[in-house]
Amino acid sequence: MVVPKMGKKLDRMQTYFLWIALFFLSCRSAPVTNLNLVVSENTINYGLHDIWALRSVDGIDVGREQSSAYLEFNLTTGKVYGNTGCNSLTADLFVDTDTLRLMNTAITELFCDNFQQEQRYVAHLIQSMSYSVDGLMLTLKSNQAILIFKKVD
């Protein structure tokens, strides 16, 4: 084994340590950006951190089929959990001052009688939306829809 000249020779154990250290330093990964949560803690409305039941889509009250649809926003973990009225969903959450976005959304695929309504609701959810919390009411607005939720927790 060739030992680099550094004034005095390194013994075998020091050489192994040097090679191991160089190996681990060369295995550095690229920086990871946490997309799950918050831009600035000072700009978040923490009233969002709760369980919200869907009440209306575009001013039309949800029918019996979607009466169990809800979203649970967890600002601590940067996750959203919920139900579409038939299927369960989970997603990563990005929140800013007045905007939120669900990312990496996963939804179970059960057969549902109200499939078209559910698909419309999910299509709205995966868009970037503005949000506002007013007491027990949460409003999500996109370019194509207005979703109204009521706090149920």
Side-chain angles (χ1 to χ4, degrees):
M1 174 173 264
V2 177
V3 178
K5 293 183 180 182
M6 301 176 80
K8 61 182 187 174
K9 286 187 173 183
L10 299 173
D11 69 356
R12 178 172 253 166
M13 192 62 123
Q14 289 172 323
T15 303
Y16 287 136
F17 177 74
L18 176 64
W19 286 111
I20 290 171
L22 289 173
F23 171 77
F24 283 112
L25 287 173
S26 68
C27 292
R28 251 185 34 202
S29 64
V32 175
T33 305
N34 181 1
L35 296 176
N36 287 358
L37 192 54
V38 177
V39 171
S40 169
E41 290 187 13
N42 297 328
T43 62
I44 302 303
N45 182 339
Y46 284 95
L48 182 63
H49 183 97
D50 221 321
I51 301 172
W52 301 90
L54 180 65
R55 291 296 174 237
S56 69
V57 177
D58 294 329
I60 301 168
D61 289 342
V62 295
R64 187 174 183 178
E65 298 83 24
Q66 279 190 298
S67 63
S68 61
Y70 74 92
L71 294 175
E72 178 180 355
F73 295 95
N74 188 321
L75 298 180
T76 305
T77 62
K79 293 282 191 182
V80 176
Y81 307 96
N83 189 288
T84 63
C86 177
N87 286 292
S88 298
L89 71 86
T90 185
D92 292 332
L93 174 65
F94 172 83
V95 182
D96 199 353
T97 307
D98 60 355
T99 306
L100 65 82
R101 185 172 58 241
L102 294 131
M103 300 176 296
N104 304 320
T105 305
I107 302 172
T108 58
E109 296 181 352
L110 299 175
F111 174 77
C112 306
D113 291 333
N114 61 338
F115 182 73
Q116 290 177 340
Q117 290 175 327
E118 181 185 45
Q119 290 301 311
R120 196 172 117 232
Y121 172 59
V122 170
H124 295 318
L125 285 179
I126 60 174
Q127 298 177 25
S128 184
M129 297 173 274
S130 65
Y131 75 94
S132 63
V133 177
D134 183 19
L136 298 177
M137 303 305 288
L138 167 66
T139 303
L140 301 180
K141 293 180 185 177
S142 71
N143 292 337
Q144 299 175 349
I146 298 175
L147 306 173
I148 306 292
F149 294 82
K150 184 175 182 183
K151 188 180 284 195
V152 293
D153 182 42

